[in-house]
Amino acid sequence: MGEAIVITSGKGGVGKTTSSANIGTALAMLGKKVCLLDTDIGLRNLDVVMGLENRIIYDLVDVVEGTCRIAQALVKDKRFEELYFLPAAQTKDKDAVQPEDVKKIVDSLKPDFEYIIIDCPAGIEGGFRNAVAGADKAIVVSTPEMSSVRDADRVIGLLEASDIKNPKLIINRVRPNMMKSGDMMDIDEVCSILAIDLLGVVPDDQQVIKSGNIGEPTVMNPTSNAAVAYRNIARRILGDSVPLMALERKKGVFYKLKKIMGIG
Amino acid sequence: MTATKEHVTIKGNKDGLIFLFNDHCEFPVLLSELQYKLEKTHQQILSGPTINVHIKLGNRDLNVEQEEKIKKLVSNHGNLLIQSMESNQKDIKEENHDLKIIKGIIRSGQSVHYETPVLFMGDVNPGGLISSTGDIYVMGSLRGLAHAGKTNTGNKEAIIAASYMKPTQLRIANIVSRSPDESADEGAYMEFAFLEDDHMQIGKISELHKVRPDALQF
């Protein structure tokens, strides 16, 4: 039986979809059979980030309504044999499915996949409840900003009140130099407020935007710092103990990288 | 019923009637006298337009069952409408001194209220709310909102103490206070908030016994 992991944050724009795409791809790179599930009905993005937009025939709502079987709606990734993707509908809204529907779909995917990564929409309403319904575990994404941390805290509270215990934290878009100068909340501060296990720290990286636009998950780019972070996160999900990248060193590489690219 | 001393006194004012209940007799005695007065001696008030009734219980404290009995008895007489039932005992009752000890973390959007003083072992995060009718002691970081002395009348003697005091807002009774917008990072010593002349003050925890000499009970 596979494990369903929901990736959520409360606040929008902190990197749920990017994290879903990269963690899913990283797990596939490590040889796992993975299904990505987009539950952001009406505002789907995961297909774009994965570069699979033009291969979509059926979607989540079609499966729920019985228009097609799950197997027909699954889109096979163009890079990895063992990576599949179940898109959300773009023309419907979030009320088109109920939490039980999503749970049923996730449960029927579990026997065929080792990991099911569920991309959650922003907010804590119906879409959130849909996404969380089928999940066994949760990963909360937050940036080191007060507003994002506040929303993450709210979501952790809701997750803990549901059946999902011990959500894990990813701190995304970290800028080590800003943290060092005290202009950005540092890792310890975020962790002390949220008080959950830290799964990984992803540095802010322009490569992420670039690769998002061309529909290629960053994690495949070996020169990207964020890619290394996501690979480490995937290994931690598999149970390896990988130390956090040293921020100082990361900063050095980051600067060098910028210099090489001539944007520093 | 030939009581030498009256246990139930009925007075009128411009709002309606006030029933004054003696607090030095047993409840059944009180009840039977009330019934006697309503049915035998004061029938004249029972006819006519609706009359508002305010019941003052003195220092007597009624349980729910007793309250119901009185309500039933009075409302049996069609035109009497109970507006209030007051006891001087109420504030004393709400000041329950049994400290409640709670563990956990109060996150954004979560709120808890206790009818006793509370010792909270954990953090109160921004957006979270902890409230109590009495004192609040937080063994952890208080970053959210704490409301102590939250009773109907407001308990201004209540205090809020926290190991790490960085609240978004503090409320004691009906007084609201917030942290200064530019707060310097102060040392990590335990602090408490209290009311002095209706103004919120913050002090080191070691000052507590001076401000509230009775706060500590051995």
Side-chain angles (χ1 to χ4, degrees):
Chain A
M1 281 296 269
E3 194 173 73
I5 305 173
V6 63
I7 297 188
T8 181
S9 72
K11 192 177 183 302
V14 298
K16 287 178 294 297
T17 302
T18 310
S19 295
S20 303
N22 283 304
I23 291 171
T25 308
L27 286 169
M29 285 168 79
L30 293 167
K32 297 291 163 187
K33 197 166 182 198
V34 180
C35 180
L36 292 167
L37 174 58
D38 191 353
T39 58
D40 199 349
I41 300 165
L43 289 169
R44 70 175 182 207
N45 288 144
L46 189 53
D47 53 333
V48 182
V49 176
M50 293 296 294
L52 300 171
E53 193 177 9
N54 54 7
R55 302 179 189 217
I56 295 173
I57 297 163
Y58 295 111
D59 56 46
L60 186 68
V61 176
D62 290 324
V63 178
V64 170
E65 288 176 348
T67 314
C68 67
R69 287 175 287 108
I70 291 186
Q72 289 174 293
L74 286 176
V75 179
K76 194 164 162 291
D77 186 70
K78 54 187 172 187
R79 296 155 289 246
F80 296 96
E81 283 292 317
E82 302 280 37
L83 181 60
Y84 287 81
F85 170 57
L86 181 56
Q90 183 70 335
T91 52
K92 307 278 178 15
D93 67 25
K94 294 187 172 58
D95 305 327
V97 298
Q98 297 300 316
E100 309 84 73
D101 302 327
V102 179
K103 187 168 170 30
K104 214 186 285 173
I105 288 174
V106 171
D107 285 344
S108 63
L109 287 169
K110 275 182 190 173
D112 300 327
F113 293 94
E114 284 166 283
Y115 288 94
I116 298 146
I117 307 292
I118 305 167
D119 183 22
C120 177
I124 52 171
E125 299 86 16
F128 170 78
R129 285 193 290 273
N130 284 343
V132 167
D136 304 310
K137 289 184 175 176
I139 294 174
V140 176
V141 182
S142 174
T143 61
E145 289 163 82
M146 260 303 171
S147 50
S148 169
V149 171
R150 191 70 48 88
D151 291 0
D153 194 42
R154 178 89 173 96
V155 160
I156 293 166
L158 292 173
L159 288 170
E160 284 174 345
S162 74
D163 294 337
I164 302 174
K165 304 297 172 205
N166 297 325
K168 300 271 193 291
L169 176 68
I170 290 179
I171 304 180
N172 197 11
R173 262 196 242 134
V174 166
R175 299 192 188 190
N177 48 340
M178 280 184 77
M179 268 183 188
K180 206 183 170 197
S181 64
D183 296 329
M184 192 178 243
M185 290 175 81
D186 65 22
I187 308 288
D188 291 342
E189 210 175 335
V190 178
C191 289
S192 82
I193 291 181
L194 296 179
I196 57 173
D197 295 343
L198 183 64
L199 185 63
V201 175
V202 182
D204 195 21
D205 190 342
Q206 303 191 351
Q207 289 288 321
V208 175
I209 300 173
K210 197 174 152 192
S211 47
N213 287 341
I214 57 171
E216 189 124 305
T218 324
V219 74
M220 300 177 60
N221 179 349
T223 61
S224 161
N225 248 342
V228 179
Y230 278 122
R231 287 182 200 197
N232 287 346
I233 287 168
R235 284 174 60 196
R236 289 187 198 110
I237 291 174
L238 297 183
D240 296 359
S241 65
V242 187
L244 283 176
M245 289 192 294
L247 278 175
E248 280 309 300
R249 205 185 110 248
K250 207 157 56 179
K251 180 185 156 190
V253 177
F254 196 48
Y255 268 121
K256 260 188 241 162
L257 193 75
K258 272 175 147 182
K259 262 186 194 158
I260 293 165
M261 298 194 309
I263 52 170
Chain B
M1 184 92 192
T2 51
T4 48
K5 192 176 173 238
E6 287 201 348
H7 297 305
V8 176
T9 315
I10 300 181
K11 287 182 175 176
N13 67 0
K14 60 179 194 304
D15 283 343
L17 292 174
I18 300 175
F19 287 20
L20 295 171
F21 290 177
N22 187 317
D23 50 18
H24 290 295
C25 64
E26 289 187 353
F27 183 74
V29 179
L30 187 78
L31 202 65
S32 64
E33 188 175 325
L34 178 66
Q35 186 167 13
Y36 177 81
K37 287 211 159 174
L38 287 175
E39 288 170 3
K40 299 279 158 49
T41 61
H42 287 69
Q43 302 101 317
Q44 75 277 15
I45 63 169
L46 299 177
S47 52
T50 305
I51 301 172
N52 289 334
V53 173
H54 298 271
I55 295 174
K56 296 209 186 295
L57 298 164
N59 286 328
R60 185 187 296 275
D61 192 21
L62 296 183
N63 61 30
V64 181
E65 200 181 319
Q66 292 171 330
E67 237 170 69
E68 278 306 308
K69 277 183 182 164
I70 290 185
K71 277 183 190 164
K72 206 172 157 191
L73 189 59
V74 175
S75 55
N76 267 347
H77 302 284
N79 61 336
L80 297 181
L81 189 68
I82 298 182
Q83 287 290 310
S84 67
M85 206 185 276
E86 282 172 21
S87 161
N88 301 339
Q89 200 71 23
K90 199 152 199 170
D91 286 338
I92 302 165
K93 185 179 79 178
E94 279 172 357
E95 255 179 67
N96 190 337
H97 283 290
D98 295 335
L99 184 69
K100 186 143 189 154
I101 302 174
I102 315 289
K103 295 182 280 283
I105 175 163
I106 300 176
R107 296 184 181 279
S108 176
Q110 298 176 330
S111 71
V112 287
H113 176 77
Y114 298 100
E115 294 288 329
T116 59
V118 57
L119 172 63
F120 185 78
M121 313 286 283
D123 291 353
V124 181
N125 279 357
L129 165 66
I130 182 167
S131 61
S132 154
T133 54
D135 297 341
I136 296 173
Y137 308 91
V138 178
M139 298 295 252
S141 300
L142 174 56
R143 301 190 189 89
L145 200 162
H147 190 171
K150 190 183 182 185
T151 62
N152 294 334
T153 49
N155 173 5
K156 293 188 176 176
E157 292 295 300
I159 64 145
I160 300 168
S163 312
Y164 181 72
M165 184 73 100
K166 200 126 201 235
T168 38
Q169 211 178 76
L170 290 178
R171 298 180 189 172
I172 297 178
N174 52 355
I175 308 293
V176 178
S177 168
R178 58 171 175 78
S179 317
D181 285 332
E182 289 155 37
S183 60
D185 255 340
E186 284 160 40
Y189 45 80
M190 191 164 178
E191 292 175 305
F192 75 105
F194 62 101
L195 288 182
E196 197 175 65
D197 303 329
D198 281 0
H199 285 285
M200 190 91 63
Q201 308 284 346
I202 301 275
K204 278 189 196 179
I205 199 72
S206 50
E207 309 286 316
L208 177 57
H209 70 285
K210 294 178 193 160
V211 177
R212 296 277 181 272
D214 58 332
L216 211 58
Q217 291 178 337
F218 289 108

Short mmCIF file of all heavy atoms in Angstrom, two decimals, chain A residues 146 150-158 160-161 189 192-196, chain B residues 105-110 123-128 141 143 164 166 168 185:
data_model
loop_
_atom_site.label_atom_id
_atom_site.label_comp_id
_atom_site.label_asym_id
_atom_site.label_seq_id
_atom_site.Cartn_x
_atom_site.Cartn_y
_atom_site.Cartn_z
N MET A 146 6.18 36.43 8.11
CA MET A 146 5.19 36.37 9.19
C MET A 146 3.82 35.90 8.70
O MET A 146 3.20 35.05 9.31
CB MET A 146 5.04 37.76 9.82
CG MET A 146 5.82 37.90 11.10
SD MET A 146 5.32 36.64 12.28
CE MET A 146 6.54 36.88 13.53
N ARG A 150 2.01 32.53 9.91
CA ARG A 150 0.71 32.60 10.58
C ARG A 150 -0.28 31.62 9.97
O ARG A 150 -0.97 30.88 10.66
CB ARG A 150 0.17 34.03 10.47
CG ARG A 150 -1.01 34.35 11.33
CD ARG A 150 -0.65 34.42 12.77
NE ARG A 150 0.55 35.21 13.00
CZ ARG A 150 0.54 36.52 13.20
NH1 ARG A 150 -0.58 37.17 13.23
NH2 ARG A 150 1.67 37.16 13.40
N ASP A 151 -0.34 31.62 8.62
CA ASP A 151 -1.28 30.73 7.94
C ASP A 151 -0.88 29.27 8.10
O ASP A 151 -1.73 28.40 8.25
CB ASP A 151 -1.37 31.10 6.45
CG ASP A 151 -2.05 32.45 6.25
OD1 ASP A 151 -2.43 33.06 7.26
OD2 ASP A 151 -2.19 32.89 5.09
N ALA A 152 0.43 29.04 8.05
CA ALA A 152 0.91 27.67 8.24
C ALA A 152 0.50 27.17 9.63
O ALA A 152 0.07 26.02 9.79
CB ALA A 152 2.42 27.62 8.09
N ASP A 153 0.59 28.05 10.61
CA ASP A 153 0.22 27.70 11.98
C ASP A 153 -1.25 27.30 12.06
O ASP A 153 -1.62 26.31 12.69
CB ASP A 153 0.49 28.91 12.88
CG ASP A 153 0.46 28.56 14.35
OD1 ASP A 153 1.00 27.50 14.70
OD2 ASP A 153 -0.10 29.34 15.14
N ARG A 154 -2.07 28.07 11.36
CA ARG A 154 -3.51 27.79 11.33
C ARG A 154 -3.76 26.42 10.71
O ARG A 154 -4.55 25.63 11.23
CB ARG A 154 -4.20 28.87 10.50
CG ARG A 154 -5.69 28.70 10.33
CD ARG A 154 -6.42 29.40 11.45
NE ARG A 154 -7.86 29.41 11.23
CZ ARG A 154 -8.71 28.53 11.73
NH1 ARG A 154 -8.25 27.54 12.46
NH2 ARG A 154 -10.00 28.63 11.52
N VAL A 155 -3.06 26.17 9.60
CA VAL A 155 -3.24 24.90 8.90
C VAL A 155 -2.76 23.72 9.75
O VAL A 155 -3.41 22.68 9.82
CB VAL A 155 -2.51 24.93 7.54
CG1 VAL A 155 -2.25 23.54 7.02
CG2 VAL A 155 -3.33 25.72 6.54
N ILE A 156 -1.64 23.92 10.45
CA ILE A 156 -1.14 22.85 11.32
C ILE A 156 -2.17 22.54 12.39
O ILE A 156 -2.44 21.38 12.70
CB ILE A 156 0.21 23.24 11.96
CG1 ILE A 156 1.28 23.36 10.88
CG2 ILE A 156 0.64 22.22 12.99
CD1 ILE A 156 2.54 24.07 11.33
N GLY A 157 -2.79 23.60 12.92
CA GLY A 157 -3.84 23.40 13.91
C GLY A 157 -4.98 22.56 13.35
O GLY A 157 -5.49 21.65 14.00
N LEU A 158 -5.38 22.87 12.12
CA LEU A 158 -6.48 22.13 11.49
C LEU A 158 -6.08 20.69 11.21
O LEU A 158 -6.87 19.76 11.38
CB LEU A 158 -6.91 22.81 10.19
CG LEU A 158 -7.57 24.19 10.34
CD1 LEU A 158 -7.77 24.83 8.98
CD2 LEU A 158 -8.90 24.06 11.05
N GLU A 160 -3.82 18.94 12.84
CA GLU A 160 -3.72 18.20 14.09
C GLU A 160 -5.09 17.84 14.64
O GLU A 160 -5.26 16.83 15.32
CB GLU A 160 -2.92 19.02 15.12
CG GLU A 160 -1.43 18.98 14.83
CD GLU A 160 -0.61 19.89 15.71
OE1 GLU A 160 -1.20 20.78 16.38
OE2 GLU A 160 0.61 19.75 15.74
N ALA A 161 -6.07 18.70 14.31
CA ALA A 161 -7.44 18.40 14.75
C ALA A 161 -8.06 17.30 13.90
O ALA A 161 -9.02 16.66 14.31
CB ALA A 161 -8.29 19.66 14.69
N GLU A 189 13.55 30.67 14.27
CA GLU A 189 12.37 31.45 14.68
C GLU A 189 11.11 30.79 14.14
O GLU A 189 10.13 30.61 14.86
CB GLU A 189 12.51 32.86 14.12
CG GLU A 189 11.85 33.92 14.96
CD GLU A 189 12.14 35.31 14.42
OE1 GLU A 189 13.17 35.49 13.73
OE2 GLU A 189 11.32 36.20 14.67
N SER A 192 10.46 27.59 15.95
CA SER A 192 10.01 27.71 17.34
C SER A 192 8.55 28.12 17.40
O SER A 192 7.83 27.74 18.33
CB SER A 192 10.89 28.69 18.11
OG SER A 192 10.49 30.01 17.86
N ILE A 193 8.07 28.86 16.40
CA ILE A 193 6.64 29.20 16.40
C ILE A 193 5.81 27.98 16.00
O ILE A 193 4.83 27.65 16.66
CB ILE A 193 6.36 30.37 15.44
CG1 ILE A 193 6.96 31.66 16.00
CG2 ILE A 193 4.85 30.54 15.22
CD1 ILE A 193 6.72 32.88 15.16
N LEU A 194 6.21 27.33 14.92
CA LEU A 194 5.36 26.26 14.39
C LEU A 194 5.50 24.96 15.17
O LEU A 194 4.56 24.16 15.21
CB LEU A 194 5.67 26.03 12.91
CG LEU A 194 5.35 27.24 12.02
CD1 LEU A 194 5.70 26.95 10.57
CD2 LEU A 194 3.89 27.64 12.13
N ALA A 195 6.66 24.77 15.78
CA ALA A 195 6.87 23.61 16.65
C ALA A 195 6.50 22.29 16.03
O ALA A 195 5.82 21.45 16.63
CB ALA A 195 6.11 23.81 17.98
N ILE A 196 6.92 22.09 14.76
CA ILE A 196 6.79 20.75 14.16
C ILE A 196 8.14 20.38 13.55
O ILE A 196 9.03 21.22 13.43
CB ILE A 196 5.68 20.68 13.07
CG1 ILE A 196 5.92 21.71 11.97
CG2 ILE A 196 4.32 20.88 13.70
CD1 ILE A 196 4.96 21.56 10.80
N ILE B 105 -0.37 23.35 22.53
CA ILE B 105 0.04 24.54 21.80
C ILE B 105 -1.23 25.14 21.18
O ILE B 105 -2.03 24.43 20.58
CB ILE B 105 1.13 24.21 20.76
CG1 ILE B 105 1.47 25.43 19.91
CG2 ILE B 105 0.77 23.05 19.87
CD1 ILE B 105 2.80 25.28 19.17
N ILE B 106 -1.43 26.44 21.43
CA ILE B 106 -2.61 27.10 20.86
C ILE B 106 -2.15 27.81 19.60
O ILE B 106 -1.38 28.76 19.67
CB ILE B 106 -3.23 28.07 21.88
CG1 ILE B 106 -3.66 27.30 23.12
CG2 ILE B 106 -4.43 28.79 21.25
CD1 ILE B 106 -4.20 28.17 24.22
N ARG B 107 -2.63 27.30 18.47
CA ARG B 107 -2.18 27.83 17.19
C ARG B 107 -3.13 28.89 16.68
O ARG B 107 -4.22 29.07 17.20
CB ARG B 107 -2.07 26.68 16.17
CG ARG B 107 -1.04 25.65 16.55
CD ARG B 107 -0.89 24.61 15.48
NE ARG B 107 0.08 23.59 15.85
CZ ARG B 107 1.39 23.73 15.71
NH1 ARG B 107 1.89 24.85 15.23
NH2 ARG B 107 2.21 22.76 16.06
N SER B 108 -2.70 29.54 15.60
CA SER B 108 -3.51 30.56 14.96
C SER B 108 -4.92 30.02 14.69
O SER B 108 -5.08 28.92 14.17
CB SER B 108 -2.84 30.96 13.64
OG SER B 108 -3.64 31.87 12.96
N GLY B 109 -5.93 30.78 15.07
CA GLY B 109 -7.30 30.37 14.80
C GLY B 109 -7.92 29.51 15.88
O GLY B 109 -9.10 29.24 15.85
N GLN B 110 -7.11 29.07 16.85
CA GLN B 110 -7.66 28.24 17.91
C GLN B 110 -7.89 29.10 19.14
O GLN B 110 -7.14 30.04 19.40
CB GLN B 110 -6.69 27.10 18.25
CG GLN B 110 -6.46 26.19 17.07
CD GLN B 110 -5.43 25.10 17.35
OE1 GLN B 110 -4.53 25.29 18.13
NE2 GLN B 110 -5.58 23.97 16.66
N ASP B 123 3.08 26.92 24.09
CA ASP B 123 3.09 28.23 23.45
C ASP B 123 1.68 28.66 23.04
O ASP B 123 0.85 27.83 22.70
CB ASP B 123 3.96 28.22 22.18
CG ASP B 123 5.43 28.06 22.51
OD1 ASP B 123 5.78 28.10 23.70
OD2 ASP B 123 6.22 27.88 21.57
N VAL B 124 1.44 29.96 23.07
CA VAL B 124 0.24 30.53 22.45
C VAL B 124 0.74 31.31 21.23
O VAL B 124 1.43 32.31 21.38
CB VAL B 124 -0.52 31.46 23.42
CG1 VAL B 124 -1.76 32.01 22.73
CG2 VAL B 124 -0.89 30.72 24.69
N ASN B 125 0.43 30.83 20.05
CA ASN B 125 0.96 31.43 18.83
C ASN B 125 0.16 32.64 18.39
O ASN B 125 -0.98 32.81 18.81
CB ASN B 125 0.98 30.39 17.72
CG ASN B 125 2.18 29.47 17.80
OD1 ASN B 125 3.04 29.63 18.66
ND2 ASN B 125 2.25 28.51 16.91
N PRO B 126 0.74 33.47 17.52
CA PRO B 126 -0.01 34.62 17.02
C PRO B 126 -1.31 34.15 16.37
O PRO B 126 -1.31 33.17 15.64
CB PRO B 126 0.93 35.21 15.96
CG PRO B 126 2.27 34.71 16.29
CD PRO B 126 2.09 33.39 16.94
N GLY B 127 -2.39 34.85 16.66
CA GLY B 127 -3.68 34.42 16.10
C GLY B 127 -4.42 33.45 17.02
O GLY B 127 -5.57 33.15 16.78
N GLY B 128 -3.75 32.97 18.06
CA GLY B 128 -4.39 32.08 19.02
C GLY B 128 -4.93 32.88 20.20
O GLY B 128 -4.47 33.99 20.45
N SER B 141 5.93 30.54 25.31
CA SER B 141 5.88 31.85 24.66
C SER B 141 4.43 32.30 24.49
O SER B 141 3.62 31.55 23.97
CB SER B 141 6.55 31.78 23.29
OG SER B 141 7.88 31.38 23.44
N ARG B 143 2.61 34.58 22.33
CA ARG B 143 2.73 35.44 21.16
C ARG B 143 1.36 35.86 20.65
O ARG B 143 1.23 36.72 19.80
CB ARG B 143 3.47 34.72 20.02
CG ARG B 143 4.86 34.25 20.37
CD ARG B 143 5.57 33.79 19.11
NE ARG B 143 6.83 33.13 19.40
CZ ARG B 143 6.96 31.83 19.64
NH1 ARG B 143 5.89 31.06 19.62
NH2 ARG B 143 8.13 31.31 19.89
N TYR B 164 7.77 33.95 28.19
CA TYR B 164 8.25 34.82 27.13
C TYR B 164 7.06 35.65 26.69
O TYR B 164 6.12 35.14 26.08
CB TYR B 164 8.81 33.97 25.98
CG TYR B 164 9.35 34.79 24.85
CD1 TYR B 164 10.54 35.51 24.97
CD2 TYR B 164 8.67 34.83 23.63
CE1 TYR B 164 11.03 36.26 23.92
CE2 TYR B 164 9.17 35.59 22.57
CZ TYR B 164 10.34 36.29 22.73
OH TYR B 164 10.82 37.03 21.69
N LYS B 166 5.43 38.11 24.53
CA LYS B 166 5.46 38.87 23.28
C LYS B 166 4.08 38.80 22.64
O LYS B 166 3.91 38.29 21.53
CB LYS B 166 6.54 38.27 22.36
CG LYS B 166 6.98 39.24 21.29
CD LYS B 166 8.48 39.42 21.31
CE LYS B 166 8.85 40.68 20.66
NZ LYS B 166 9.70 40.86 19.65
N THR B 168 0.34 39.61 20.95
CA THR B 168 -0.23 40.55 20.00
C THR B 168 -1.14 41.51 20.76
O THR B 168 -1.23 42.68 20.43
CB THR B 168 -1.06 39.84 18.92
OG1 THR B 168 -1.76 38.76 19.52
CG2 THR B 168 -0.20 39.32 17.82
N ASP B 185 14.01 43.90 21.68
CA ASP B 185 14.16 42.54 22.18
C ASP B 185 14.74 42.60 23.57
O ASP B 185 15.91 42.97 23.77
CB ASP B 185 15.08 41.75 21.24
CG ASP B 185 14.25 40.78 20.41
OD1 ASP B 185 13.12 40.48 20.83
OD2 ASP B 185 14.75 40.35 19.36
#
